[in-house]
């Protein structure tokens, strides 16, 4: 169990080092997206996308099959969920999961379902939940286990 704790600390420490080189926090940049079919609803204010949803916000890339965006009165997304074949990439980290919830106000992206996997360089970690703070680049993994490959 101690080995996995070291892996998590190494991942967080390495990720934090990249945060200093980021030009802007992801949440302050516009989110651009595309999908095959979109539905816009009022009361409640929602954007629903089906099939091939792809969004980018700064260095963050998110793909999934179904997207539900909750928007405020100014029609700005405050949070969203992605379901089905979720893939996330941020810098040199890749994550796969069944579902994701992104709170844009708190800048936290939580992935779960199907034992989400995060890959960074040649190392892999999995757990029941992976939470990424998109502003400071920290990653928290619940029930973490994985393989750490030391870079030379």
């Amino acid at each position: 169990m101690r080995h996995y704790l070291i892996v998590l600390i190494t991942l967080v420490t390495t990720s934090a080092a990249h945060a200093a080189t980021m030009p802007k926090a992801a949440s302050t940049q516009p989110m651009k997206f595309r999908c095959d079919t979109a539905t816009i609803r009022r009361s409640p204010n929602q954007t629903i996308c089906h099939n091939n949803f792809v969004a980018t916000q700064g260095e963050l890339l998110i793909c999934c099959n179904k997207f539900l965006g909750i928007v405020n009165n100014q029609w700005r997304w405050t949070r969203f969920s992605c379901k089905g074949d979720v893939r996330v990439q941020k810098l040199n980290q890749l994550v796969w999961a069944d579902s994701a919830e992104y709170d844009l106000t708190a800048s936290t992206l939580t992935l779960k379902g199907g034992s989400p996997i995060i890959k960074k360089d040649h190392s892999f970690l999995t757990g029941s939940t992976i939470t990424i703070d998109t502003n400071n680049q920290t990653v928290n993994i619940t029930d973490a286990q994985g393989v750490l490959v030391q870079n030379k």
Side-chain angles (χ1 to χ4, degrees):
M1 194 63 142
R2 189 178 311 153
H3 176 69
Y4 299 125
L5 182 59
I6 292 169
V7 170
L8 181 58
I9 290 170
T10 301
L11 186 67
V12 170
T13 303
T14 305
S15 296
H18 287 290
T21 63
M22 296 277 302
K24 231 178 178 182
S27 62
T28 63
Q29 296 182 0
M31 181 169 283
K32 300 172 187 175
F33 77 100
R34 68 151 311 278
C35 62
D36 289 350
T37 306
T39 303
I40 310 299
R41 291 187 180 161
R42 285 199 164 289
S43 190
N45 295 344
Q46 297 177 335
T47 303
I48 302 168
C49 290
H50 295 279
N51 301 322
N52 299 313
F53 175 80
V54 178
T56 60
Q57 184 182 40
E59 302 277 339
L60 182 68
L61 170 71
I62 301 172
C63 304
C64 66
N65 293 333
K66 184 177 181 185
F67 167 88
L68 171 63
I70 306 301
V71 296
N72 62 18
N73 290 335
Q74 291 80 37
W75 282 93
R76 292 189 179 139
W77 290 335
T78 56
R79 61 187 168 88
F80 69 75
S81 65
C82 266
K83 300 210 184 301
D85 197 21
V86 176
R87 286 110 39 223
V88 176
Q89 180 177 359
K90 176 106 181 188
L91 298 172
N92 62 345
Q93 295 177 351
L94 298 171
V95 185
W96 298 268
D98 287 341
S99 66
E101 299 285 331
Y102 190 15
D103 181 338
L104 283 92
T105 307
S107 298
T108 56
L109 178 62
T110 303
L111 299 107
K112 52 177 92 171
S115 295
I117 299 170
I118 185 167
K119 177 185 181 282
K120 180 171 178 162
D121 299 323
H122 299 290
S123 299
F124 289 88
L125 292 170
T126 187
S128 58
T129 303
I130 296 175
T131 303
I132 302 170
D133 183 318
T134 59
N135 278 341
N136 67 21
Q137 309 306 308
T138 57
V139 177
N140 293 307
I141 302 170
T142 305
D143 303 321
Q145 54 183 314
V147 177
L148 175 64
V149 176
Q150 298 294 330
N151 293 334
K152 296 184 181 200

